[in-house]
């Protein structure tokens, strides 16, 4: 079926895999049997094969990135032209495919908490894809960052320009040892009680604490809830507008989300499990 008006068909070369795909499959975002089979996968990189009437931003043969798409775990995806952007030449299809979901999430975290130069930003989960993106964007804005992660990821966090501290008991004291005045902003990409509680203990202004995960506890505490969760701000406009600037930062080498695992499309189930494991160590990508 050729793409309709304003739509683009893409031959998928790589599809980014996210914990959200596992949540979608588990029904966390809602269940509707009328909509089965479920279309999984929201970001891809590939080559434009066909364009519908009225499409002017891309042409057949272009190497592109697309987000947000439906059913990205496939050999071919059709999406609105407004979701399709030129792939930065410096990035492989695999690298480009996993950039925009976590990138736009991190952008939303910084916008919602109004991070600017001089801020001291505590990032929970700085070794993860969303946390790494938030760290890099905060540093690009001139903020200082402390990032939490496991010890084996300390150097990864430091390479982003942040100060690493391990999460776990005593986290608040370890942050105060680095910043006696405490952070001005806390960004939680992890969702544990510890991440929320330490953020509340260290940052007085609850409008400058945001979570993309701890919707129940965070909601009760009156902090900012971002993304697709109960009571959360989806930030659709902010996130949509962030896509081109994020690709520009990646093209300039100022934002990078490394790929840890590349699996064939037939192993989509294993890829989703890995992406949702809590410690994939980087992006998981499917290749048709
Ligand atoms: N609301 C939204 O819009 C939105 C968007 C994107 C993602 N998310 C959610 O955000 C979460 C992170 O996504 P991601 O793609 O960045 O995942 P990821 O790459 O797997 O990152 C997970 C991070 O959490 C850390 N971590 C794991 N267990 C921890 C614990 N017990 N205490 C403290 N830190 C811990 C990991 O650190 P180590 O590996 O170093 O231990 C790593 O830094 C997922 O739950 C995802 O669904 C939400």
């Amino acid at each position: 079926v050729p793409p309709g008006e304003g739509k683009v068909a893409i031959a998928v070369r790589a599809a980014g895999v996210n914990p959200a795909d596992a949540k979608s499959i588990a029904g966390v975002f809602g269940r509707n049997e009328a909509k089965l089979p479920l279309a999984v996968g929201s970001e891809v990189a590939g080559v434009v094969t066909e364009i519908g009437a009225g499409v002017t931003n891309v042409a057949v043969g272009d190497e592109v990135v697309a987000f947000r798409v439906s059913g990205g775990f496939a050999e071919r995806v059709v999406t609105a032209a407004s979701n399709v952007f030129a792939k930065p030449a410096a990035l492989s299809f695999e690298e480009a495919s996993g950039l925009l979901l976590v990138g736009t999430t991190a952008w939303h975290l910084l916008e919602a908490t109004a991070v600017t130069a001089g801020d001291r930003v505590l990032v929970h989960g700085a070794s993860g894809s969303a946390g790494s993106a938030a760290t890099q964007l905060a540093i690009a804005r001139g903020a200082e960052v402390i990032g939490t992660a496991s010890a084996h990821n300390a150097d990864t966090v430091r390479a982003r320009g942040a100060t690493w501290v391990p999460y776990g008991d005593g986290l608040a004291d370890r942050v105060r040892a680095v910043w006696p005045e405490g952070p001005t902003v806390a960004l939680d990409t992890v969702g544990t009680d510890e991440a929320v509680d330490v953020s509340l203990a260290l940052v007085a202004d609850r409008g400058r604490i945001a979570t993309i995960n701890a919707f129940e506890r965070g909601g009760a505490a009156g902090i900012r809830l971002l993304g697709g969760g109960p009571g959360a701000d989806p930030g659709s406009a902010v996130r949509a507008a962030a896509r081109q600037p994020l690709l520009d930062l990646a093209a300039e080498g100022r934002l990078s989300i490394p790929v840890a695992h590349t699996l064939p499309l037939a192993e989509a189930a294993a890829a989703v499990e890995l992406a949702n494991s809590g410690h994939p160590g980087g992006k998981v990508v499917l290749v048709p």
Side-chain angles (χ1 to χ4, degrees):
V1 192
E5 188 176 350
K7 300 215 164 159
V8 174
I10 299 166
V12 176
R13 292 288 184 80
V17 185
N18 289 282
D21 299 317
K23 293 177 184 176
S24 159
I25 292 165
V28 172
F29 303 130
R31 291 169 176 271
N32 182 352
E33 281 171 27
K35 286 190 178 169
L36 291 174
L38 194 62
V40 186
S42 58
E43 53 181 345
V44 301
V47 178
V48 174
T49 55
E50 295 157 276
I51 58 172
V55 172
T56 55
N57 61 325
V58 290
V60 171
D62 284 2
E63 297 188 349
V64 294
V65 186
F67 174 73
R68 165 172 293 271
V69 307
S70 176
F73 295 179
E75 290 177 356
R76 175 181 187 266
V77 72
V78 176
T79 191
S82 57
N83 294 327
V84 185
F85 302 84
K87 178 180 78 62
L91 270 61
S92 66
F93 286 107
E94 287 84 348
E95 288 165 335
S97 73
L99 194 75
L100 287 181
L101 188 145
V102 293
T104 56
T105 302
W107 189 284
H108 190 200
L109 279 164
L110 269 71
E111 285 294 310
T113 54
V115 172
T116 56
D119 268 317
R120 294 182 301 278
V121 181
L122 171 61
V123 176
H124 297 279
S127 56
S129 291
S132 167
T135 299
Q136 293 172 71
L137 295 178
I139 286 170
R141 287 187 182 202
E144 285 177 65
V145 175
I146 287 178
T148 74
S150 295
H152 67 271
N153 287 322
D155 287 343
T156 309
V157 173
R158 292 188 186 116
R160 301 297 191 209
T163 300
W164 166 74
V165 300
Y167 53 79
D169 283 352
L171 174 58
D173 290 338
R174 286 191 293 278
V175 174
R176 282 196 198 97
V178 180
W179 291 334
E181 336 79 293
T184 54
V185 173
L187 307 177
D188 166 36
T189 72
V190 178
T192 53
D193 292 352
E194 174 184 85
V196 175
D197 292 347
V198 167
S199 300
L200 292 169
L202 295 178
V203 179
D205 181 352
R206 294 192 174 193
R208 303 201 81 195
I209 305 174
T211 183
I212 56 172
N213 239 322
F215 296 126
E216 208 170 309
R217 200 178 183 96
I223 65 174
R224 295 191 185 277
L225 316 178
L226 308 181
D233 170 14
S236 308
V238 172
R239 292 182 185 215
R243 293 173 294 182
Q244 186 61 59
L246 285 162
L247 291 167
D248 294 343
L249 283 170
E252 294 161 13
R254 297 169 76 199
L255 174 66
S256 109
I257 309 296
V259 175
H261 308 275
T262 303
L263 283 76
L265 191 53
E267 288 173 34
V272 168
E273 202 173 312
L274 191 54
N276 200 39
S277 66
H279 310 276
K283 286 307 299 180
V284 180
V285 168
L286 283 170
V287 175

